Amino acid sequence: MTPRFSATAVAHSNIALIKYWGKLAILGNYPAVPSLSLTLDALYTRTQVTFDPLYAQDEFELDGERVLQRPLQRVSNVLDAIRSLSGLAHFAKVVSSNNFPTASGLASSASGFAALALAATHAAGLSLAPAAVSSIARACSASSARSIYGGWASLEVGADSANALDSGQNWDVTLIVAITDPEPKAIGSTEAMVHCADTSPFYPAWVETAPALFARAREALHRRDLDTLGQCMEESTWRMHATMLTAVPAVVYISPITLAIINEIRARRSASIPAYFTTDAGPHVKVLVLAKHAVAVRDWLTQVPGVTNVIVCKPGPAAYVEPHSAEGHSA
Ligand code: PMV
């Protein structure tokens, strides 16, 4: 029998408090701004990669459906990087599933490319340090570089890989995800951020002011200062969306329901229940609160008309290979 090389990995999604939005003007997909994120326990991608000499091309199946064209090309780009590192020449079959809606602003590309990079390196017999796997993932989706790590992670300007900042185990925070509309987004984040860089007069100000905001947030995280961290998150969110809304033509990911949720949080939060919002390349809203306030804030969110589901997330684990999933290697 011909040898197959297979492994399955799980990576959890991450949400940026300080946003990555924009690339350096060099090849290789390097971020133009620093970002800081929390990896989430409740949202994840599981991906099996099998290299097999009998395959005639790479194949990609996502949530039970065969995927072609650009998404398949992006998967092949990751596989090519791993083939050239490992010397394994076979094509691969990639079977992936998300436990949440794909491509709708819930960072499915973050968990997806992290799980792919980790599963594929193991399937190819490589046992790389997390930073090296993070770098492979980053080359395709910069936010996915952060999903290699559990808890709090950062990705600096021009960095090859993300950094682990804090495991998240010693500070009881939750990020509550209010899902508004499970439809995939109209324009992907890669295309949208390039469009903002090319056409928004606000983009240079975004890039210039991002490092100071990142430094303030990182310090606040260090001190476990939820108020400052939350305020930095909201500033980063609005500045990123300002580049979208001032692009030509504008890129509008927020919906009336997004704004209704934000208004609800602004109206109901107080010194006794601090709560801070963010939203990404999609209409959903994520709310940062201490775990002891999660039930109260979940109830606020559930009552907003148009919210279809609310998921309470705690800090999640680093990406991992499922035990006994590796085939074709002695390790
Ligand atoms: O890495 P990408 O291309 O999926 O871009 C992610 C962009 C945001 O989710 C909006 C922000 C971030 O830092 O995750």
Side-chain angles (χ1 to χ4, degrees):
M1 203 176 123
T2 38
R4 286 152 51 97
F5 302 86
S6 186
T8 301
V10 174
H12 287 248
S13 166
N14 75 76
I15 294 297
L17 287 81
I18 301 300
K19 309 295 184 186
Y20 152 62
W21 192 253
K23 303 170 192 297
L24 289 183
I26 54 172
L27 278 182
N29 201 40
Y30 292 95
V33 291
S35 56
L36 187 156
S37 62
L38 181 62
T39 296
L40 307 178
D41 68 340
L43 308 179
Y44 59 84
T45 303
R46 171 179 278 111
T47 297
Q48 182 185 42
V49 176
T50 305
F51 291 100
D52 191 318
L54 297 178
Y55 295 150
Q57 58 190 24
D58 291 331
E59 278 183 32
F60 177 32
E61 190 184 299
L62 177 58
D63 291 331
E65 294 197 10
R66 182 101 182 257
V67 180
L68 300 167
Q69 297 174 337
R70 187 155 177 273
L72 171 63
Q73 186 53 53
R74 291 182 79 193
V75 164
S76 285
N77 292 346
V78 175
L79 296 170
D80 283 344
I82 289 160
R83 281 187 279 254
S84 87
L85 265 177
S86 65
L88 194 67
H90 312 325
F91 288 111
K93 181 164 184 184
V94 175
V95 178
S96 195
S97 60
N98 293 326
N99 77 332
F100 59 94
T102 299
S104 67
L106 287 177
S108 57
S109 81
S111 51
F113 283 103
L116 171 64
L118 187 61
T121 50
H122 274 259
L126 297 168
S127 184
L128 303 179
V133 182
S134 174
S135 166
I136 292 169
R138 194 262 319 132
C140 203
S141 158
S143 62
S144 73
R146 302 182 309 237
S147 269
I148 295 299
Y149 299 101
W152 302 91
S154 67
L155 180 65
E156 308 250 0
V157 176
D160 214 40
S161 57
N163 296 311
L165 291 179
D166 186 302
S167 71
Q169 296 312 304
N170 303 312
W171 191 25
D172 237 356
V173 297
T174 53
L175 202 65
I176 308 181
V177 180
I179 297 183
T180 66
D181 179 357
E183 292 305 305
K185 57 194 166 198
I187 169 171
S189 51
T190 299
E191 201 185 324
M193 67 178 83
V194 170
H195 175 65
C196 291
D198 287 347
T199 65
S200 167
F202 288 10
Y203 182 80
W206 156 252
V207 172
E208 195 187 313
T209 58
L213 198 52
F214 171 76
R216 229 170 88 209
R218 194 171 48 182
E219 240 181 60
L221 171 64
H222 212 66
R223 291 195 311 272
R224 306 213 171 119
D225 172 351
L226 186 93
D227 290 313
T228 306
L229 187 59
Q231 283 155 15
C232 290
M233 177 171 80
E234 292 188 2
E235 285 176 41
S236 180
T237 303
W238 286 131
R239 288 183 201 177
M240 176 181 76
H241 282 275
T243 73
M244 298 169 178
L245 297 175
T246 53
V248 184
V251 177
V252 186
Y253 287 119
I254 48 178
S255 73
I257 301 165
T258 312
L259 293 175
I261 300 167
I262 289 174
N263 286 340
E264 188 78 5
I265 296 297
R266 286 169 60 131
R268 298 186 78 151
R269 67 184 169 195
S270 64
S272 55
I273 306 189
Y276 298 92
F277 59 84
T278 187
T279 172
D280 291 279
H284 320 295
V285 180
K286 299 98 185 181
V287 183
L288 181 70
V289 291
L290 294 175
K292 63 183 176 189
H293 297 135
V295 170
V297 174
R298 188 194 58 198
D299 290 346
W300 302 350
L301 294 168
T302 312
Q303 285 159 26
V304 179
V307 170
T308 54
N309 193 10
V310 177
I311 306 170
V312 177
C313 302
K314 293 190 168 152
Y320 59 93
V321 177
E322 287 198 330
H324 313 302
S325 72
E327 249 182 73
H329 302 288
S330 48

